[in-house]
Structure formats: structure tokens, C-alpha cells
Amino acid sequence: MNRIAVFTSGGDAPGMNACIRAVTRAALANNIQVYGIMRGYQGMIDGEIISMDSRSVSNIVQRGGTILKAARSKEFLSKEGRDKAYEHLKKHDINCIVAIGGDGTFSGAEVFTNEHPDIKIVGIPGTIDNDLAGTDFTLGFDTALNTVVDAVDKIKDTAASHDRCFLIEVMGRDSGCIALWAAVAGGAEMVMLPEKAMSVEDLVHTLETAKKNKKSSTIVIVAEGEKNGGAQAIAAKMKEHIQDYETKVTVLGHIQRGGKPSAFDRILAARLGVHAVEQLMSGQTKVMVGIRSNAIALTPFAQATKSHDPLDEKLFSIANTLSI
Ligand code: F6P
């Protein structure tokens, strides 16, 4: 192996740049030529492939976003698109790839490597959602969590000043990981998760109990994938049940995806990037390099994308215990 390519795909996540840097420099240290594929699978199809050297990744360890850009490619879902991508890789003599992304990225890599077994792909979990089976942490989760907690702290100040209830909606797609961790770290009164059936009636009951317990303001963290339709829909339904409570909604949105990566995400990026290159050098393919109990863990793509790790029930019970 003397050529390797790296790309970022799906939604961007803080720490992707630090990981591109780690992959590039680990490969160069082993005398492997490095290429960057722009815009994920779409850039592979369009032949947007650039040569990288040590200076291409200077001064990016601290930057959010991804210098290689990210995209969700519809064209790659078709065999024709994937064949075009294969031709471009062959033109550059690339047969080893590090793919940084989430479940869509790894599902694509699984299909692609089944069709073209001469291309080896190792994945690195890069998504703020922390929703991949086989890794305790995905790149970007820690930074996004800190962004959310910082926002919750600020909203708590104004909520307390005005005796209000705030519903704060956070990202995570169909995973409640960001929401649950933010609820514990932010001291929320309640958290609404996709993994738990929770009705607006349950929420109203919790808020009434909080009031009886002399809480004059409350924070509810709402995961975007929860089953009542999100924070706006919950606020509308709440009005039918309680009128004497002023409720405000804040949807944090894409602010959660930006910003400089935390030290934790940078170190995770360094470890996963270097290990991914080492795995490719030892002939591995179709696996995600993740982290389990602070040790590197390999999970086949098929398994990493099949399901999430289950919700941390103990943490959920801690969130409830501490919110009285
Ligand atoms: O997967 C990361 C994520 O930020 C999810 O939390 C969210 O549901 C989705 O991407 C938003 O995607 P887009 O930026 O394409 O709107």
C-alpha cells in the first residue's frame, strides 16, 4: 500500500479536521502518499481528489467544520454513481481509504467494498449524534454536548429570572444521547427522548410536581427525534393542560455542529486517525475504528450501522433522581 485517501461525509462534526490531520500525518510517517477526497462520496464521483502533504493539514487541529467539506450524496446510492467513483479512484491508483462519518457513510462503504473488493475502507465515527454501535464516543459528540450545556446554562439564568419553563430542543436524529447527557450536565427537570415513550401528560405531571416542590422555573431538554413531534409541538399541547405557566421554546439547531473541537475530541481524533491508518496497513477493511472503555475497538460496518448502543438506563435514572 503506497496511497491512501481520506474523506469526510454526512453531517460535519467538530474534530473532523483534527482527524484529517492525524490520518494524513500518520500515513506520511509511513511513506504513504495521501489524497483528500472533497465532499465525501460526491467528490469521489466527480473526481474531486487532491494531493495532501504535511502542510495541507497545518493549523487545522483547532478548527471546526471540515477542510475536505462534507455532503450527503444521492448519486452514490446508484450503482452507476458508485462505478464512476471507482473509476476515479483507479485513475489515482488509490485502493485504501479512511472514511470519516456516520452510519450513512459506513453503509455506503459496505456496499461499495462489496462491489469493489480491491478497495479497502476503514471508517472513523464522526458525528455529533454519538449513535454508532461499537464505540463509546463519536468524534464531535463531546464538543456538541459542551455547546448544548453552555446554552442550557445561559437559558437557566433567564428562566430563573422570569419564572419560566423552557423547552430546549437538541439534535441527535433518532438518538437521545446528546439530550440525556445534556440533561444531566445541565440539571434539567425533564428530558424527552426517542428511546422512551413519554407523553405531554407525563411532562405536565412532572412540571406540576416541580411547582409543588417550590421550583419556579424549569428546563426540559427535548431530543429532536422524540415521539411527540419536537419542542414546538410539545409547547402547543402543553397549553391545553396548563395555562398558569409561561413556556418558551429554544431550538438550538446547527450551532451544535460548529465551533472549535474540545480537547477530548482532538485527542480522540488523533487516536482514531492513527489507528485507522495502521488498520489499513495491516490489511483490514469494512471496519469502524472506535473506542471502548478507553481502548481501540473494531466493529464491522454492518454491525456499526445496524443499531445504536442502547440508551444508558442508569444515566436516565440518575437524571430523574437528581431533578427533584
Ligand atoms: O447527524 C448529525 C445531524 O446534525 C443530526 O443531529 C441532525 O438530525 C442532522 O444531522 C441535520 O442534518 P442537516 O444538516 O442535513 O440538516
Side-chain angles (χ1 to χ4, degrees), residues 11-12 72 127-129 131 171-173 178 224 254 257:
D12 62 346
R72 296 188 168 103
T127 164
I128 64 165
D129 300 340
D131 62 347
M171 280 187 170
R173 210 177 283 272
I178 295 178
E224 66 175 350
H254 284 79
R257 288 244 295 264

Side-chain angles (χ1 to χ4, degrees), residues 28-301:
L28 293 171
N30 286 288
N31 298 316
I32 299 166
Q33 251 180 284
V34 186
Y35 289 85
I37 302 171
M38 303 298 294
R39 296 182 176 78
Y41 291 120
Q42 195 54 47
M44 210 186 270
I45 292 169
D46 298 337
E48 270 194 281
I49 299 175
I50 57 170
S51 174
M52 311 269 282
D53 61 21
S54 194
R55 295 289 71 76
S56 323
V57 292
S58 289
N59 204 21
I60 63 166
V61 72
Q62 78 284 21
R63 280 171 54 193
T66 159
I67 58 163
L68 294 178
K69 310 227 178 216
R72 296 188 168 103
S73 170
K74 283 210 176 87
E75 213 182 333
F76 197 75
L77 297 175
S78 72
K79 173 92 172 60
E80 206 188 345
R82 293 192 293 274
D83 286 347
K84 268 195 221 164
Y86 179 74
E87 290 312 318
H88 284 296
L89 293 178
K90 288 281 106 181
K91 234 184 262 168
H92 287 84
D93 217 6
I94 293 166
N95 56 8
C96 284
I97 298 176
V98 177
I100 308 169
D103 48 7
T105 306
F106 301 153
S107 308
E110 173 79 15
V111 174
F112 190 66
T113 46
N114 284 342
E115 287 168 0
H116 303 288
D118 54 325
I119 306 286
K120 292 186 169 56
I121 305 185
V122 165
I124 293 179
T127 164
I128 64 165
D129 300 340
N130 208 26
D131 62 347
L132 289 161
T135 189
D136 293 341
F137 296 104
T138 57
L139 276 184
F141 169 68
D142 181 67
T143 307
L145 176 64
N146 279 289
T147 302
V148 171
V149 172
D150 191 44
V152 171
D153 291 349
K154 288 176 174 144
I155 289 170
K156 275 186 111 163
D157 290 344
T158 177
S161 304
H162 288 268
D163 295 337
R164 282 172 171 162
C165 167
F166 269 84
L167 304 180
I168 305 174
E169 185 177 297
V170 302
M171 280 187 170
R173 210 177 283 272
D174 54 352
S175 158
C177 202
I178 295 178
L180 177 57
W181 286 55
V184 174
E189 273 62 40
M190 191 160 173
V191 55
M192 310 280 283
L193 302 168
E195 295 89 346
K196 292 269 167 197
M198 273 179 268
S199 66
V200 175
E201 286 74 16
D202 295 334
L203 171 60
V204 169
H205 177 71
T206 303
L207 295 178
E208 275 165 354
T209 309
K211 211 167 193 185
K212 275 187 209 135
N213 290 340
K214 302 199 172 15
K215 289 196 179 202
S216 57
S217 65
T218 39
I219 298 289
V220 180
I221 306 289
V222 180
E224 66 175 350
E226 69 78 46
K227 302 291 185 283
N228 296 285
Q232 298 286 8
I234 293 173
K237 280 187 213 156
M238 274 173 71
K239 280 208 184 108
E240 296 164 16
H241 297 273
I242 33 175
Q243 284 80 34
D244 59 339
Y245 220 79
E246 210 186 342
T247 304
K248 295 276 176 186
V249 172
T250 303
V251 178
L252 293 182
H254 284 79
I255 194 171
Q256 297 162 90
R257 288 244 295 264
K260 64 176 188 161
S262 64
F264 179 89
D265 273 330
R266 298 182 204 190
I267 293 162
L268 184 62
R271 293 176 75 185
L272 299 184
V274 169
H275 276 280
V277 171
E278 287 172 1
Q279 291 305 325
L280 281 170
M281 286 169 65
S282 70
Q284 272 288 3
T285 184
K286 296 188 202 196
V287 290
M288 178 189 82
V289 181
I291 193 125
R292 276 284 194 223
S293 306
N294 204 26
I296 293 295
L298 301 183
T299 307
F301 285 149

